[in-house]
Amino acid sequence: MSFITGVGLTSYGKHEGSSSLDLMSKAAELAIADAGLKRSEIDGILCGYSTVSPHIMLATVFAEHFGIQPSYAHAVQVGGATGLAMTMLAHHLVDAGVAKHVLVVGGENRLTGQSRDASIQALAQVGHPDYEVTLGPTIPAYYGLVASRYMHEYGVTQEDLAEFAVLMRAHALTHPGAQFHEPITVADVMASKPVAMPLKLLDCCPVSDGGAAFVVSREPTGATGIRVRGCAQTHTHQHVTAAPRLSELGAEIAIAKAKAASGVAISDVRYAAVYDSFTITLAMLLEDLGLAGRGEAAARVRAGHFGRDGAMPLNTHGGLLSYGHCGVGGAMAHLVETHLQMTERAGPRQVRDASIALLHGDGGVLSSHVSMFLERVR
């Protein structure tokens, strides 16, 4: 067993003068305090990668910077799925008795510490060096290809995709730490600058500075325990040219394994936190995970199903699309928000019931998937 005992999150957007290590430290300090622990009690550390600070020993570099000497340190790299992959690893570490309190941390000054061209070049390296990178595509271009095929197969429209951007922006309006606080409409999304058709600017997550962290412990440290009920991973491919058919992508496999490991059904879930790097990512994952039928997720958004007061509240902080995306820490904000919801500390964003939550992370171009169920125990 393992419990998420504390969480910490910075605002996302511009943090002029703050390095990746600074942002990670700020989030880590908040998470350890939230868990009611001291730095000296942290005996394990997991951190993600940083494109701004690509050190080959980032976990121990951070440990030194933060002033801890853990008995276990590890850096993890599976793209956008890294945050949940680290949570899964921490879960296994504490369950196996390797560590008692594992600090999971990620963050980058990706907006102010790296030029736009450098950021684009770094992210483009997910492509195959011979068959893809040489042709010049970017991450949005890969997802644009996926979106075109998905729209063709399931009758999804650009206006349907825009609904997800509008929902995430509406949720971000109530979070003071979100990068964006201006409401948008479907018409605004449709009128925004083309990036990689059919994806437009407001279909894409921003580049951000920020940090997120949480502590995974063997036992609860507070009155309410947030337990990792079950989790699973699937890795079907790395490159788009090697990807399986849309009906055989890894999210469906990961969620099936996570349901089997946890004994939780989708009908049991009361809150969802799903990766949303692009509107097409969120649309596809919601349907792959069984939260909507094929081609039906947008209709559920319009009906209020995924709103704060809906049947399945989703990414109530605003997600990657509107809270912001600072690399590994971007998706980790989903788990921080989930923890706040499950411990009834989300303030004006609080949903009626978050007793069982589903989280899903996606790395690469729908390449690596991690599904996880959390359960509140008192």
Side-chain angles (χ1 to χ4, degrees):
M1 294 179 64
S2 73
F3 295 83
I4 299 171
T5 52
V7 296
L9 183 67
T10 72
S11 62
Y12 282 13
K14 282 189 176 182
H15 285 269
E16 295 281 0
S18 293
S19 69
S20 294
L21 292 176
D22 293 335
L23 293 165
M24 292 166 69
S25 296
K26 184 175 181 180
E29 185 174 11
L30 291 170
I32 293 171
D34 192 47
L37 299 172
K38 302 174 182 177
R39 293 192 190 196
S40 59
E41 294 178 272
I42 298 297
D43 54 355
I45 181 169
L46 299 174
C47 75
Y49 60 92
S50 167
T51 60
V52 180
S53 305
H55 198 284
I56 62 173
M57 296 179 65
L58 189 57
T60 49
V61 166
F62 174 76
E64 178 184 80
H65 179 84
F66 194 59
I68 59 176
Q69 295 182 327
S71 58
Y72 185 97
H74 201 113
V76 179
Q77 293 181 320
V78 277
T82 300
L84 285 185
M86 291 192 294
T87 310
M88 184 173 176
L89 177 55
H91 162 66
H92 290 312
L93 288 171
V94 300
D95 187 50
V98 175
K100 188 175 181 181
H101 300 291
V102 177
L103 173 65
V104 179
V105 61
E108 278 194 76
N109 58 330
R110 189 173 284 190
L111 178 59
T112 61
Q114 191 174 48
S115 71
R116 181 177 62 180
D117 288 347
S119 179
I120 291 172
Q121 184 176 12
L123 295 175
Q125 300 312 305
V126 302
H128 193 285
D130 297 322
Y131 307 130
E132 295 172 7
V133 173
T134 54
L135 300 176
T138 61
I139 292 285
Y142 293 124
Y143 274 94
L145 291 172
V146 172
S148 294
R149 185 65 194 178
Y150 199 79
M151 292 166 65
H152 171 74
E153 290 198 12
Y154 298 107
V156 175
T157 67
Q158 292 185 41
E159 289 83 0
D160 287 336
L161 296 182
E163 294 285 357
F164 299 95
V166 173
L167 176 65
M168 292 300 98
R169 183 62 60 88
H171 285 173
L173 297 179
T174 60
H175 198 306
Q179 187 164 346
F180 297 123
H181 289 108
E182 304 79 20
I184 59 173
T185 65
V186 169
D188 292 329
V189 180
M190 295 298 293
S192 62
K193 179 181 178 181
V195 174
M197 292 301 288
L199 302 179
K200 296 161 290 298
L201 183 64
L202 293 178
D203 285 299
C204 308
C205 64
V207 176
S208 317
D209 296 339
F214 32 90
V215 178
V216 180
S217 304
R218 199 176 305 167
E219 301 289 344
T221 60
T224 302
I226 305 303
R227 181 166 75 98
V228 177
R229 177 75 177 263
C231 44
Q233 297 185 28
T234 298
H235 308 273
T236 55
H237 64 283
Q238 172 59 39
H239 304 112
V240 171
T241 48
R245 295 183 299 178
L246 293 180
S247 59
E248 298 175 354
L249 290 172
E252 289 187 81
I253 304 170
I255 191 63
K257 293 195 294 184
K259 288 191 291 185
S262 64
V264 174
I266 294 299
S267 59
D268 299 324
V269 176
R270 297 293 177 265
Y271 180 86
V274 180
Y275 196 79
D276 61 317
S277 52
F278 301 93
T279 52
I280 183 61
T281 318
L282 186 54
M284 290 180 64
L285 290 178
L286 287 172
E287 295 171 10
D288 287 350
L289 296 170
L291 294 170
R294 292 293 185 195
E296 298 175 359
R300 290 202 162 192
V301 172
R302 293 188 189 99
H305 183 80
F306 296 114
R308 187 192 65 188
D309 299 319
M312 184 64 66
L314 170 73
N315 298 352
T316 50
H317 64 305
L320 298 169
L321 286 166
S322 279
Y323 191 87
H325 192 358
C326 61
V328 171
M332 290 175 64
H334 289 62
L335 191 147
V336 172
E337 176 71 6
T338 301
H339 193 274
L340 293 176
Q341 290 286 358
M342 298 185 79
T343 53
E344 300 178 336
R345 297 183 295 157
R349 305 184 309 281
Q350 187 63 50
V351 303
R352 290 190 302 272
D353 178 13
S355 53
I356 295 181
L358 164 63
L359 299 95
H360 187 86
D362 157 42
V365 186
L366 301 166
S367 310
S368 295
H369 296 267
V370 183
S371 293
M372 179 173 295
F373 291 101
L374 301 182
E375 176 186 39
R376 183 174 62 213
V377 293
R378 297 189 189 275

